[in-house]
Amino acid sequence: MLSSPAPAEDEAALTLATGEFPPYVGERLPQGGVTSKIVREAFAAAGLATPKIVFLPWKRGYSEAELNRYAATFPYARDAAREKQFLYSDPLHQDHFSYFARKDDADALAGRWRNKRLCLPLGWTTAYTDADIRKYQLRLERPPALENCLKMLGSNQVDLVSCNDFVAGYAIRQLYGPRSPFVAAEIGKQQTSGLFLIISRQRPNAEQLMQKFNQGLAALRRSGRYQQLLLPDGEASPGQ
């Protein structure tokens, strides 16, 4: 008995990897978060099968996507080292990032950062902080998750947390409610933080798949559907 031919990629559901980065992505969020919804619908708008999305620790998801065990992973910021291994999509989101400090820490808020302690979760890029780490000789702490960083900031175990504003605002509200003990420092407020879907350069059809995904994403924007998808339950739009 002859075996059936393998389905073409636009007929077969692909598996994508992501992690915990609420409200953009999260296993317990409705439909996996706003970015998961955008990615699924961009695939559909491109005529591709709806992908399966799995939630993994960031380092594992990244390394397995790099080896082409997953068709893509998201959402990732640009990083020179990553760009050697991955193709980047058009932006899924464009946001600002800030350094967050305790409201009562006058030195941190004023930019007197020499030898301060900076928290950045394990697996997150340091591309937005490398220059300041060198300039101020910051001591970097790398716990597993943003929640850890914020709790360490609140208990004076670190002095600064670097994060995308939209994600930080969501996480702070989850931990502390409407009265945040933190505020964004003046330094770094104008830096933008793009987030992207990335596909390993090891994937044989990486460029064709990325082209189709970008076409689907562009179709969502033209139709106005993208703006609708940005709104998670009970949250405001991140402003793109």
Side-chain angles (χ1 to χ4, degrees):
M1 182 177 178
L2 296 175
S3 61
S4 298
E9 186 150 273
D10 58 356
E11 299 172 354
L14 302 173
T15 303
L16 316 180
T18 188
E20 294 294 323
F21 196 47
Y24 286 131
V25 290
E27 192 166 14
R28 295 182 179 87
L29 296 176
Q31 299 183 60
V34 291
T35 313
S36 296
K37 291 190 286 186
I38 288 167
V39 167
R40 286 194 193 94
E41 293 208 18
F43 270 78
L48 297 164
T50 301
K52 177 183 178 182
I53 296 175
V54 298
F55 289 83
L56 300 170
W58 287 109
K59 286 190 71 175
R60 178 183 166 193
Y62 179 89
S63 62
E64 294 198 6
E66 183 179 2
L67 295 171
N68 194 28
R69 292 174 183 162
Y70 294 99
T73 184
F74 68 93
Y76 274 86
R78 282 198 179 275
D79 179 304
R82 291 173 183 167
E83 289 192 272
K84 294 178 182 178
Q85 307 300 329
F86 288 89
L87 299 177
Y88 275 70
S89 72
D90 293 337
L92 300 171
H93 305 285
Q94 195 76 32
D95 197 5
H96 291 91
F97 91 89
S98 298
Y99 290 97
F100 293 86
R102 291 179 302 281
K103 288 181 176 178
D104 60 359
D105 190 341
D107 285 342
L109 295 177
R112 295 189 287 270
W113 289 0
R114 180 69 58 182
N115 296 321
K116 290 285 188 182
R117 302 159 296 178
L118 170 66
C119 196
L120 194 67
L122 188 65
W124 290 23
T125 183
T126 61
Y128 299 108
T129 58
D130 280 336
D132 290 326
I133 289 171
R134 291 191 296 268
K135 179 178 179 179
Y136 298 103
Q137 298 180 3
L138 298 175
R139 292 173 283 165
L140 189 59
E141 297 286 344
R142 311 237 39 192
L146 177 59
E147 178 179 323
N148 301 113
C149 280
L150 293 173
K151 287 180 178 178
M152 291 169 71
L153 183 61
S155 60
N156 198 25
Q157 295 176 48
V158 297
D159 307 296
L160 299 162
V161 172
S162 173
C163 188
N164 169 310
D165 290 2
F166 184 51
V167 171
Y170 178 89
I172 291 168
R173 287 193 297 276
Q174 295 301 302
L175 286 173
Y176 298 99
R179 294 186 178 182
S180 171
F182 313 129
V183 67
E186 289 301 318
I187 297 177
K189 275 188 175 179
Q190 302 308 310
Q191 297 198 59
T192 58
S193 171
L195 294 172
F196 307 84
L197 177 137
I198 59 177
I199 299 175
S200 173
R201 294 182 184 274
Q202 294 188 38
R203 189 170 185 85
N205 68 336
E207 291 187 4
Q208 296 94 322
L209 180 59
M210 186 63 83
Q211 182 180 22
K212 287 186 176 182
F213 177 79
N214 283 335
Q215 289 170 350
L217 184 60
L220 290 185
R221 293 182 186 277
R222 287 194 303 271
S223 70
R225 178 62 175 159
Y226 175 87
Q227 289 292 338
Q228 295 173 2
L229 292 171
L230 281 178
L231 296 172
D233 293 347
E235 290 295 322
S237 167
Q240 182 165 329

